[in-house]
Amino acid sequence: MTLKNTTDRFYLLFICLAFICLIIGLGSYGLAESSEARYAEISREMFLSGDYLNPQLLGIFHFHKPPITYYITSLGYKIFGINEFGARFFLQVAIVIQLLLIYGLAHLLFRSRKIAFLSGLIYFSMPIVLISSRNLTTDAYLTTFIMAAIFSWQYYISNKKLPFLYLFYILLGLSLLTKGPVALLFVLVYIFTYKIIWKSGFKINTHHVFGVLICLTIGASWFLLLVVENPKLWDYFIEKQIAGRMTGSSFSERAKPFWYFIPIIFGLLLPWLVGSIPTFKFKLKSLYKTKNQSLVLLISSSLLILLFSVFRTKLILYILPVFWMMVIYIAKQLESLDKESKKCISLVYLIILTILFIGLLICWFSEFEFINIHTSAIITSFLVTIFSFAVHYFIENDKKYKPAVVGAIFSGAVLLISSTILKTNSPLINSTRHMANFINTISKEKDKTILVYDYLLTSIPFYSNAEYITLQSTHRTTDREVQFQNNEDWRKQLWDVNTPDVIANLKQLSKARHTFLLVRNKSELNENIQFLRNAFDQKKEYPKWTIFYNN
């Protein structure tokens, strides 16, 4: 057996094990409010209505994001049914594809299957990758398309295979159809950095022209179809969804300071930083003189972090498409680490896992009200911790792959532990599944009505076939964009509590047996509907919500 086949087969085995860890317990816990629940519900409504052009959220058009994520999630519903597993399944497929791509990218860049293998293990060890696999948003799919596009471009540069150039443009178009123009930043920064460092020049031929046309045709297709149907959407896309996100004016709640990503990156790379900073003999001047691929990765990732730090709107997963560059850079640098540094990285992972186990054990013994730790979580945590220590003990410290293996096992352990914890702790992720299950148990009627006061709980319809109504008062989440609606049907699901007709309807609804009112515990009812607190004869209290209903 050749080294090539040995490395490839071991990596294939690793991917299979990673996929098993990713799907175990995937549907055992509810949808997290608000992002995951929002994407799941939009996809559900799209799947049921068959309208794949106009995404809707609770019956109101929702044009915040292009539709690729909704299409993929709808496919999950088609295969597995409308449930959490179906909503999240293709996220796990995306992670597996990323693991294949990072192996291919590292091999293309350094012509080393050892570095490629290490890159895959380290990538799986990154907490941000695990977060993306458990949070239904555009980010995991966007990262997959971006990595695939850069792989295709790099393969074309290295092997001059023309089909890969066209594949690059097709994948770039799909990334635009996943999250819009922001996708171009990740690809263009990498390509421009590569070209400048290697001084290879920018040669444009007819294939590039056709490729750009293909990219724009795919990437702009959904936007153009919508604008033709409703010209007002042009200003909406440009001013609010692009410029507004960059300046923070459209989504002020996501506006963060310039340094926001710095502590996050240090936290996510903590084990590698602890073990490698003392021994990395890195000099920017000498690295530039060698003009190697490490410099391309380092500068590209640094520039992208800087760009996203300048943008006012920030979320952790926005920088996910940068991490493959950091990971391959780290894998390459493992060659220069001494035995003690590799041991230190492994020990940091084991210390974190031990602290997690001790913390769960304390919560289990103490029976805190804010978290419910089941015995299965303790057993799972104990077994994976013991297994991690055993692997650390049996692999010699001078093996280059030791910290990467321990890191990958750490991530597998976290996935298994987190699934058992989340299953019994819906409030921790703001899931409504436990509340919806209670309502469905109390009333099995199909004509029941669920009222939610001054908050957009998008997962309620996902779990109940009841009539769902949002009572709008002052909270920003209930301020829906209705300027693109074709009729007034949206008013059936969004009631303004400051109007007399709504107050009259609420007085009547509150007397019905199959009416349920959900109120956040930290909210005060609008003075116009204070009567609702006494209109129901039963209530069920949860950590963040209270359900009012009639027996």
Side-chain angles (χ1 to χ4, degrees):
M1 183 182 295
T2 65
L3 176 62
K4 173 182 175 181
N5 289 335
T6 301
T7 305
D8 290 346
R9 289 178 182 180
F10 272 120
Y11 194 71
L12 181 60
L13 174 62
F14 157 68
I15 286 181
C16 291
L17 293 174
F19 184 65
I20 291 172
C21 290
L22 286 166
I23 63 172
I24 288 178
L26 188 62
S28 63
Y29 54 95
L31 299 172
E33 293 280 355
S34 60
S35 293
E36 183 179 45
R38 182 170 64 252
Y39 280 97
E41 175 57 20
I42 293 172
S43 303
R44 186 188 75 92
E45 293 183 34
M46 180 177 284
F47 175 68
L48 293 177
S49 69
D51 183 356
Y52 289 91
L53 180 62
N54 301 285
Q56 296 186 55
L57 178 62
L58 305 180
I60 296 175
F61 292 139
H62 192 85
F63 299 122
H64 289 202
K65 292 289 194 305
I68 284 289
T69 301
Y70 309 138
Y71 295 166
I72 297 173
T73 308
S74 296
L75 179 60
Y77 294 154
K78 179 71 174 179
I79 299 172
F80 302 104
I82 300 176
N83 51 55
E84 295 92 341
F85 187 90
R88 298 178 181 129
F89 175 77
F90 281 103
L91 287 174
Q92 320 316 310
V93 175
I95 300 301
V96 169
I97 295 173
Q98 289 172 32
L99 291 172
L100 291 170
L101 287 169
I102 199 167
Y103 185 89
L105 279 163
H107 183 255
L108 277 174
L109 295 176
F110 294 104
R111 300 297 177 182
S112 169
R113 278 183 163 76
K114 289 183 179 179
I115 293 177
F117 187 85
L118 292 174
S119 297
L121 294 176
I122 297 170
Y123 189 74
F124 188 67
S125 75
M126 292 293 156
I128 194 170
V129 176
L130 303 189
I131 293 171
S132 72
S133 74
R134 290 300 186 262
N135 189 28
L136 178 56
T137 63
T138 60
D139 301 286
Y141 299 127
L142 175 67
T143 301
T144 304
F145 286 127
I146 288 172
M147 290 177 66
I150 293 177
F151 173 83
S152 300
W153 180 84
Q154 196 73 56
Y155 194 91
Y156 168 73
I157 293 296
S158 303
N159 299 283
K160 302 303 178 184
K161 300 289 186 180
L162 192 58
F164 281 87
L165 178 63
Y166 283 99
L167 181 59
F168 161 72
Y169 284 111
I170 291 171
L171 290 165
L172 193 57
L174 290 173
S175 68
L176 288 171
L177 208 53
T178 303
K179 203 170 183 176
V182 69
L184 292 174
L185 281 177
F186 297 99
V187 177
L188 293 180
V189 167
Y190 176 83
I191 291 177
F192 274 84
T193 303
Y194 181 95
K195 291 285 188 179
I196 291 171
I197 289 177
W198 289 100
K199 296 181 180 180
S200 57
F202 296 87
K203 298 178 182 179
I204 299 177
N205 53 38
T206 54
H207 295 296
H208 287 287
V209 174
F210 284 127
V212 170
L213 290 175
I214 292 172
C215 172
L216 293 178
T217 300
I218 296 172
S221 58
W222 178 74
F223 298 96
L224 291 177
L225 287 172
L226 288 176
V227 170
V228 168
E229 192 174 274
N230 191 339
K232 291 190 298 184
L233 280 166
W234 174 260
D235 291 335
Y236 175 79
F237 286 135
I238 299 299
E239 294 178 7
K240 183 166 185 176
Q241 293 302 324
I242 297 178
R245 287 178 182 274
M246 292 173 64
T247 62
S249 59
S250 298
F251 299 87
S252 57
E253 71 278 4
R254 296 182 181 179
K256 300 293 189 300
F258 176 83
W259 48 264
Y260 175 78
F261 288 122
I262 297 175
I264 290 175
I265 292 172
F266 273 90
L268 294 173
L269 298 177
L270 179 62
W272 301 97
L273 291 176
V274 170
S276 60
I277 284 180
T279 57
F280 274 178
K281 298 178 179 179
F282 170 75
K283 294 181 180 179
L284 185 59
K285 185 176 179 180
S286 61
L287 185 59
Y288 178 75
K289 285 182 178 180
T290 60
K291 289 185 172 58
N292 60 26
Q293 296 290 358
S294 293
L295 183 61
V296 176
L297 296 170
L298 185 62
I299 293 181
S300 298
S301 56
S302 299
L303 285 175
L304 285 167
I305 295 298
L306 179 62
L307 278 172
F308 279 85
S309 296
V310 172
F311 298 156
R312 287 283 292 163
T313 303
K314 299 180 182 71
L315 289 176
I316 292 177
L317 289 176
Y318 284 2
I319 58 173
L320 176 63
V322 179
F323 267 75
W324 71 267
M325 303 179 197
M326 297 182 180
V327 162
I328 296 178
Y329 177 82
I330 291 172
K332 173 62 177 175
Q333 301 308 312
L334 276 177
E335 295 178 338
S336 63
L337 285 183
D338 57 28
K339 181 171 67 175
E340 291 303 317
S341 295
K342 290 197 253 323
K343 181 180 178 181
C344 182
I345 294 171
S346 301
L347 286 175
V348 171
Y349 275 117
L350 295 178
I351 290 171
I352 295 173
L353 195 58
T354 302
I355 292 173
L356 175 61
F357 171 67
I358 294 173
L360 292 177
L361 202 59
I362 292 173
C363 292
W364 182 60
F365 273 117
S366 303
E367 297 183 347
F368 294 123
E369 292 184 1
F370 69 89
I371 189 169
N372 178 25
I373 302 299
H374 195 269
T375 305
S376 60
I378 298 298
I379 295 173
T380 301
S381 180
F382 174 75
L383 291 177
V384 296
T385 302
I386 293 299
F387 178 74
S388 299
F389 272 94
V391 170
H392 172 78
Y393 176 79
F394 284 109
I395 299 179
E396 297 177 5
N397 290 328
D398 59 347
K399 299 295 183 182
K400 293 181 181 179
Y401 56 81
K402 179 172 183 174
V405 170
V406 174
I409 291 174
F410 169 83
S411 287
V414 169
L415 285 171
L416 296 175
I417 295 170
S418 62
S419 295
T420 58
I421 296 175
L422 294 176
K423 183 178 180 180
T424 55
N425 289 277
S426 291
L428 288 180
I429 55 173
N430 296 322
S431 173
T432 65
R433 186 169 76 168
H434 56 305
M435 296 191 294
N437 288 342
F438 171 77
I439 292 174
N440 293 334
T441 301
I442 294 296
S443 174
K444 300 184 182 298
E445 301 295 326
K446 292 184 178 180
D447 61 347
K448 58 180 174 285
T449 302
I450 299 177
L451 307 169
V452 177
Y453 175 69
D454 207 26
Y455 198 83
L456 203 67
L457 280 182
T458 54
S459 60
I460 289 292
F462 190 92
Y463 293 117
S464 177
N465 56 7
E467 181 182 0
Y468 174 78
I469 299 171
T470 301
L471 302 180
Q472 184 181 25
S473 181
T474 59
H475 199 273
R476 60 174 180 78
T477 60
T478 63
D479 188 16
R480 305 296 305 280
E481 295 175 335
V482 298
Q483 68 268 35
F484 305 117
Q485 297 303 118
N486 301 321
N487 51 50
E488 296 292 307
D489 288 348
W490 59 272
R491 294 187 184 278
K492 297 177 182 178
Q493 291 184 284
L494 186 63
W495 291 8
D496 186 349
V497 297
N498 294 305
T499 59
D501 289 345
V502 167
I503 295 173
N505 289 336
L506 286 174
K507 287 181 179 179
Q508 183 177 358
L509 263 178
S510 63
K511 298 175 184 178
R513 281 193 59 197
H514 304 299
T515 300
F516 297 83
L517 172 65
L518 276 65
V519 180
R520 288 191 302 163
N521 294 337
K522 63 180 182 180
S523 297
E524 287 293 332
L525 288 179
N526 185 294
E527 59 181 9
N528 295 328
I529 57 171
Q530 284 288 338
F531 65 89
L532 287 177
R533 286 198 178 273
N534 300 318
F536 300 91
D537 56 22
Q538 299 288 327
K539 69 177 182 179
K540 173 73 172 178
E541 295 183 350
Y542 290 93
K544 296 182 180 181
W545 292 85
T546 298
I547 301 176
F548 297 89
Y549 64 100
N550 291 320
N551 194 357

